[in-house]
Amino acid sequence: MFDERSPIYLQVADRVRADIVSGALNGDQPVTSTTQYATFHRINPATVAKAYQQLVDEGLLYKKRGIGMFVAPAARSVLLGQRRERFFTEVVDAMVDEARTIGVPLTEVIDRLRQAAVADEVYGTAGRAER
């Protein structure tokens, strides 16, 4: 379930973030208690608590004293904004640099993106796999 590439608490935090982005967890919805999460995944409760605290520090979760942890109302939009920025930095900017390096004119890249946009309008984004 967990890999050895990064600390478990970071993997727990990443899973909660993924659940927020996917809509599996919504604003003001409670998250699984530290004890339940730790028991289910057979990890130390302190590990889960550390992950949850990181998410609280990031403003993605909030505590209700005596009740538990909840997803912050704006958590999904915050995470989508971060992912959008990372997409442009890591994917689009890298694509532009690679196109320049190999001599592909940016107008050709733009034309290809426009073709994809038109196809999305015609087939919808779900139709991508069918093309």
Side-chain angles (χ1 to χ4, degrees):
M1 175 94 20
F2 296 102
D3 63 44
E4 309 235 347
R5 291 181 234 156
S6 65
I8 293 174
Y9 83 93
L10 292 176
Q11 294 177 60
V12 170
D14 284 344
R15 286 183 184 179
V16 173
R17 285 187 199 97
D19 285 345
I20 292 169
V21 168
S22 73
L25 286 173
N26 296 304
D28 293 318
Q29 183 177 345
V31 295
T32 306
S33 77
T34 301
T35 304
Q36 288 174 325
Y37 196 102
T39 301
F40 183 80
H41 293 287
R42 298 179 184 205
I43 59 176
N44 189 320
T47 300
V48 179
K50 186 173 182 178
Y52 283 5
Q53 185 58 52
Q54 179 175 341
L55 296 169
V56 167
D57 293 344
E58 293 173 13
L60 301 174
L61 298 182
Y62 66 92
K63 299 176 190 178
K64 282 188 180 179
R65 190 172 183 180
I67 299 176
M69 295 281 196
F70 292 78
V71 178
R76 186 167 192 271
S77 63
V78 167
L79 288 170
L80 288 175
Q82 291 171 352
R83 287 180 79 168
R84 198 173 288 116
E85 184 59 37
R86 191 169 62 239
F87 168 76
F88 281 105
T89 302
E90 295 176 4
V91 177
V92 176
D93 293 350
M95 177 184 61
V96 168
D97 290 344
E98 178 68 7
R100 287 178 176 146
T101 299
I102 63 174
V104 175
L106 291 181
T107 53
E108 193 173 320
V109 173
I110 292 166
D111 288 343
R112 181 67 66 96
L113 291 172
R114 281 194 179 112
Q115 289 172 2
V118 167
D120 276 356
E121 288 176 13
V122 172
Y123 299 106
T125 55
R128 268 188 254 155
E130 298 167 13
R131 285 182 255 149

